[in-house]
Amino acid sequence: MLNDEELVAQSKVGNLEAFSELVERYQKLVYTIAYRFLGDYEDACDAAQEAFVRAFTRLHTFKGDCSFKTWLCHIVANVCRDELRRYKRHPQVFWDDGPVAETDLNPQFILPEEALAAKEDEILLQNLLNCLPPEFRAVVVMRDIQGFSYEEIASQLGCSLGTVKSRLNRARKYLKEGYLRAREFASGAGVAAAGKGEEI
Amino acid sequence: MNCQEAQDLFSPYLDGELKPRQKRELEDHINRCRQCVEDLTSLHLAVAAIRSLQETELFPPPQLKARVCGRIKAITRYRRLSLYLTWAAGAVAVLLLTVALNITFSQESQVQSRPGVQEHTPLQAVPPHEEVMAPQAPQVMKQGSKVAGDLGAVQKSEAPPRSQDAKAVQEKRGAPKGQPGEQRLQSGVLPVGVPARKSSQPTLIFALSLFFLVLAFLSWFWWRRIRGFGP
């Protein structure tokens, strides 16, 4: 089996099969990251497709300074960020970079009940991410899911290191509150269900 | 350090992004504050939960790869086409430009080598037949060959009024009677219609070459824009 570098080299000279193999290898990763950013399966599929096509058209700029996987992750993040800018479908509360009002930090104000009622942790966490404003969601996904450094995030988003730190801090506080509330909600529902069971 | 200041540092603390002095101060505060310990622990739990999403890979729809490959093939095709179009349009533009320049220069050199053209412009009103045909008869006759004599006789018999008209025109201008055709060719008199071509034909060809040049540039621009693989 050929490694990434060999496949990239072959792709650069026009071997479509080689690029197809790269798509096969990374489609899960790209699709998953796109879904974490966008929170919608159909949009994630479109974004993944766009990311691969963008990677293909810019393959000549890939000099091998980092791994192909890292380079591809940067492209997915860019595509999803562009998509998030156009995202107007979900109701969101947008925070500015100034001091956060108390109401903005209160998950009760933003989080819908159904977001907290998810039984699986993965769905609950995705629901929480979806409730974040786009610029905050992008920072959390890039840091905690893609594993980028603060400097890389700042460079990709075109903002200062301080802004990245501030956004990450506030987004995590919000996620923590939501996560704790969901756990209480789940334990409350569990207790209620147990109570109902006893009555029956 | 108070609790608010400490909480602002929790996130970079979990990422290991604090400076040593900040880290030491925060840890000193945490050791003294029970509430901050609880807050830091719950934040750590939430961040760990979010990070656990890394391990969950989703299965993309089966058509994703086919869609990507389809788009890539289309791009490659367009790219190749635009490259061919660039070369073809560029070649046609160069060819047309050469032809247009050639015509322009040849006309200019004709005009320069025959300064009398301007003087003879009133003659342009005379039809071309009268310019070219009329002088041939006496010339051919002069050579004395039998065939030439016959042809001259035929021409004479076919078009006597034209040669007479031409002679009349020559006489009007004061040209020598002996060899009217030679005199006229030497003085650079062009048949009717040539001056009109001189002005419109090269311009048209220049315009066409410009069109192909623009087409070549646009297709080259498109090729650059969608370039991915080698040609």
Side-chain angles (χ1 to χ4, degrees):
Chain A
M1 191 188 237
L2 293 173
N3 62 27
D4 285 1
E5 285 75 27
E6 286 168 325
L7 286 173
V8 168
Q10 287 187 14
S11 300
K12 276 184 176 176
V13 294
N15 187 344
L16 285 174
E17 287 299 316
F19 194 79
S20 177
E21 175 61 31
L22 286 171
V23 174
E24 177 69 40
R25 206 170 276 187
Y26 290 112
Q27 60 175 344
K28 268 189 194 176
L29 173 79
V30 170
Y31 178 71
T32 306
I33 292 172
Y35 178 71
R36 297 293 174 228
F37 266 101
L38 305 173
D40 183 277
Y41 290 111
E42 214 165 292
D43 291 347
C45 186
D46 290 344
Q49 190 182 327
E50 182 58 34
F52 278 119
V53 171
R54 208 178 275 189
F56 161 73
T57 54
R58 293 178 188 176
L59 206 57
H60 62 283
T61 63
F62 177 65
K63 306 291 180 203
D65 302 331
C66 57
S67 70
F68 178 74
K69 186 181 170 183
T70 309
W71 185 70
L72 194 60
C73 285
H74 279 281
I75 291 178
V76 186
N78 272 333
V79 170
C80 292
R81 213 158 37 80
D82 293 346
E83 188 62 30
L84 279 176
R85 281 185 191 145
R86 292 194 292 266
Y87 234 57
K88 301 283 180 193
R89 275 177 287 176
H90 303 296
Q92 290 156 346
V93 176
F94 291 88
W95 299 338
D96 58 15
D97 284 332
V100 181
E102 199 58 36
T103 47
D104 288 341
L105 275 175
N106 183 3
Q108 224 166 4
F109 177 72
I110 307 163
L111 286 175
E113 284 288 308
E114 57 267 29
L116 301 174
K119 285 176 186 166
E120 289 176 36
D121 242 19
E122 191 246 323
I123 299 171
L124 165 71
L125 291 165
Q126 186 62 49
N127 285 344
L128 289 172
L129 279 175
N130 292 351
C131 291
L132 282 172
E135 58 270 36
F136 289 79
R137 198 191 309 175
V139 172
V140 172
V141 172
M142 288 171 88
R143 175 66 204 170
D144 289 333
I145 294 173
Q146 291 191 284
F148 289 151
S149 68
Y150 283 21
E151 287 79 11
E152 282 176 315
I153 298 169
S155 141
Q156 278 225 347
L157 297 181
C159 57
S160 69
L161 210 61
T163 306
V164 172
K165 282 182 185 173
S166 154
R167 284 182 186 172
L168 195 59
N169 197 26
R170 288 154 70 188
R172 278 174 171 173
K173 270 184 189 170
Y174 173 83
L175 290 171
K176 182 195 81 174
E177 296 296 331
Y179 191 62
L180 291 178
R181 270 199 67 216
R183 286 187 143 200
E184 283 169 19
F185 188 85
S187 61
V191 168
K196 275 184 187 177
E198 277 172 13
E199 278 174 21
I200 292 166
Chain B
M1 182 180 278
N2 60 33
C3 289
Q4 184 57 51
E5 287 170 344
Q7 286 192 358
D8 287 343
L9 295 177
F10 282 173
S11 181
Y13 177 72
L14 291 175
D15 287 330
E17 293 279 340
L18 283 184
K19 289 171 188 168
R21 193 176 60 82
Q22 284 178 312
K23 190 180 170 191
R24 202 170 48 248
E25 284 177 8
L26 179 65
E27 284 171 347
D28 286 346
H29 177 83
I30 290 168
N31 288 336
R32 287 183 278 109
C33 179
R34 195 179 179 83
Q35 182 59 45
C36 280
V37 172
E38 279 178 20
D39 285 347
L40 182 61
T41 309
S42 54
L43 184 67
H44 180 65
L45 269 175
V47 171
I50 293 286
R51 283 180 181 168
S52 72
L53 288 176
Q54 281 178 21
E55 291 148 23
T56 317
E57 273 200 336
L58 303 172
F59 284 92
Q63 69 269 22
L64 175 64
K65 190 184 166 190
R67 275 200 219 166
V68 170
C69 291
R71 275 185 69 183
I72 286 171
K73 276 179 188 162
I75 288 171
T76 314
R77 199 163 49 239
Y78 283 130
R79 189 174 176 274
R80 215 168 275 165
L81 267 177
S82 58
L83 187 66
Y84 294 156
L85 189 63
T86 304
W87 280 111
V92 172
V94 168
L95 190 73
L96 287 174
L97 203 65
T98 312
V99 169
L101 287 174
N102 199 18
I103 290 174
T104 309
F105 282 124
S106 66
Q107 281 182 352
E108 273 179 15
S109 63
Q110 267 184 357
V111 170
Q112 279 171 3
S113 66
R114 294 161 187 153
V117 166
Q118 291 301 319
E119 293 168 20
H120 294 287
T121 42
L123 196 66
Q124 285 166 6
V126 180
H129 284 293
E130 293 174 18
E131 293 288 328
V132 181
M133 296 284 286
Q136 278 175 2
Q139 243 186 331
V140 175
M141 289 290 282
K142 210 176 177 182
Q143 285 172 4
S145 74
K146 196 181 174 185
V147 180
D150 292 344
L151 279 170
V154 170
Q155 282 179 352
K156 250 184 177 176
S157 64
E158 277 179 4
R162 285 186 183 177
S163 62
Q164 281 173 4
D165 286 351
K167 277 180 184 175
V169 170
Q170 270 195 331
E171 283 169 10
K172 225 177 188 179
R173 288 182 179 167
K177 285 180 183 177
Q179 294 175 338
E182 280 176 15
Q183 288 291 327
R184 201 161 294 164
L185 285 170
Q186 279 171 10
S187 62
V189 177
L190 294 170
V192 173
V194 171
R197 275 188 215 147
K198 184 187 167 187
S199 59
S200 68
Q201 214 175 32
T203 314
L204 186 71
I205 299 173
F206 269 127
L208 267 174
S209 66
L210 189 71
F211 167 75
F212 279 103
L213 208 63
V214 169
L215 187 68
F217 176 75
L218 286 177
S219 49
W220 172 79
F221 181 74
W222 178 244
W223 173 76
R224 289 271 302 172
R225 196 159 171 256
I226 59 173
R227 77 175 182 177
F229 295 155

